[in-house]
Amino acid sequence: MDKRLQAFQQLLDIMDELRAKCPWDKKQTLESLRHLTIEETYELADAILDDDLEEIKGELGDLMLHIVFYAKIGSERGAFDIADVLESINAKLIKRHPHIYGDVKAETAEQVKDNWEKIKLHTGKKRVLSGVPKSLPAMIKAYRIQDKVKGVGFDWEKPEQVWEKVLEEMEELKNEADTGASQKKLEEEYGDLLFALINYARFIKVNPENALERTNKKFVKRFEHLEKQAKKLGKDLKLMNLEEMDVFWNEAKKMEH
């Protein structure tokens, strides 16, 4: 037997046994697993950003377990089993890749994406944005919304146009802040600015979620260096001024290059 199929069959067998014998596994439901799946997905996302291949392998295994777990529960309820899950994605991939399995032409990745969106609109999804999950984090959701509407031609033509929109939204936010606008109005204008910046990121082919998370990691690393150095000198951060802190902060920046 193919090594891959053998390993997958073993996972299915283990799942059957755990579901039958383990008190914790027997107790789980689709809903009880949901937050754990979200957590595992974020752990995989962290490993990907760190380019830690060993960790990625482990996290993929965790997610694979969750998929098998959901399928097991589905089979117990007579709704679907793992074969149904796999057959469903196989059929979807074949249908949405007519340039591979049909006679449609698509020479670029952009053409493939455009075809994909058109196919989805003709296979039950009558609204362009119906495929964007409601529970997505706001930044990822904004990126997906913009990418979706692009598929039907609702988009700027050049990055320069988007940047002009960013500057316009920035000016509007500044004006509202300077004139003492309400918190609700400031939040609205700030949201407009973020939406425009995310759109600009899309135009210059930067994933805003990844970019921000890398900046988060960079900040944490620098601040931890600051804390470590302050502790070495027996200093309390709360009693240090910004100028003193900047010395260690700049040290951390230099260490990155």
Side-chain angles (χ1 to χ4, degrees):
M1 181 189 288
D2 186 312
K3 180 183 176 183
R4 296 169 299 177
L5 298 179
Q6 189 174 2
F8 190 61
Q9 182 61 58
Q10 184 179 17
L11 176 59
L12 295 177
D13 292 341
I14 290 172
M15 184 74 259
D16 288 343
E17 192 165 15
L18 292 179
R19 190 68 173 166
K21 299 178 181 179
C22 174
W24 185 88
D25 289 284
K26 288 166 68 175
K27 186 179 178 181
Q28 300 314 305
T29 65
L30 296 176
E31 188 173 342
S32 71
L33 289 172
R34 179 180 177 273
H35 75 282
L36 298 175
T37 306
I38 293 171
E39 183 179 329
E40 294 294 353
T41 304
Y42 276 110
E43 288 177 3
L44 173 61
D46 284 345
I48 290 171
L49 281 181
D50 292 338
D51 196 27
D52 187 335
L53 296 180
E54 190 64 27
E55 192 67 18
I56 290 171
K57 179 181 73 174
E59 297 301 341
L60 285 172
D62 291 341
L63 277 179
M64 183 69 74
L65 168 62
H66 279 242
I67 292 168
V68 168
F69 212 147
Y70 286 122
K72 177 63 177 175
I73 295 172
S75 69
E76 292 169 353
R77 294 172 60 173
F80 58 86
D81 61 15
I82 192 65
D84 296 320
V85 172
L86 296 175
E87 287 168 3
S88 174
I89 187 59
N90 289 343
K92 182 186 290 185
L93 288 172
I94 291 170
K95 189 167 189 175
R96 292 186 181 177
H97 289 78
H99 55 290
I100 302 295
Y101 302 103
D103 54 8
V104 173
K105 299 295 182 183
E107 303 295 336
T108 68
E110 284 301 313
Q111 289 174 334
V112 171
K113 283 181 65 178
D114 290 344
N115 285 339
W116 190 308
E117 294 300 334
K118 290 173 185 174
I119 291 169
K120 284 194 283 186
L121 284 175
H122 288 90
T123 54
K125 295 187 184 298
K126 299 302 181 184
R127 293 181 293 113
V128 174
L129 298 177
S130 61
V132 180
K134 294 177 182 178
S135 56
L136 272 181
M139 183 175 289
I140 299 174
K141 185 188 289 186
Y143 190 90
R144 291 295 292 132
I145 287 171
Q146 294 163 0
D147 199 42
K148 287 275 189 182
V149 298
K150 172 183 178 291
V152 293
F154 191 75
D155 203 9
W156 299 95
E157 293 180 355
K158 301 175 182 178
E160 293 80 8
Q161 295 172 309
V162 188
W163 186 246
E164 283 298 319
K165 185 63 176 175
V166 170
L167 295 178
E168 176 189 320
E169 297 295 352
M170 196 179 298
E171 185 66 24
E172 288 181 10
L173 174 61
K174 184 70 165 58
N175 288 339
E176 294 293 349
D178 289 346
T179 55
S182 67
Q183 199 65 29
K184 182 179 179 181
K185 184 62 178 175
L186 288 174
E187 185 177 284
E188 179 185 332
E189 293 297 342
Y190 194 81
D192 290 345
L193 174 58
L194 283 178
F195 195 83
L197 278 169
I198 291 167
N199 210 9
Y200 185 68
R202 183 173 60 86
F203 264 80
I204 61 173
K205 303 189 185 309
V206 168
N207 184 301
E209 175 72 18
N210 290 350
L212 182 57
E213 181 55 21
R214 285 196 167 96
T215 295
N216 288 339
K217 288 178 178 290
K218 181 168 59 179
F219 185 95
V220 169
K221 188 175 181 180
R222 290 176 183 176
F223 193 81
E224 286 177 345
H225 174 79
L226 190 162
E227 283 184 309
K228 184 178 178 181
Q229 295 305 106
K231 187 176 181 180
K232 276 185 180 179
L233 297 176
K235 292 189 174 184
D236 185 339
L237 286 180
K238 293 179 182 178
L239 301 178
M240 293 174 65
N241 59 41
L242 189 57
E243 187 176 351
E244 290 175 305
M245 291 185 185
D246 271 343
V247 172
F248 300 135
W249 183 267
N250 290 328
E251 275 182 9
K253 287 175 67 175
K254 289 178 182 177
M255 290 166 62
E256 295 168 0
H257 303 291

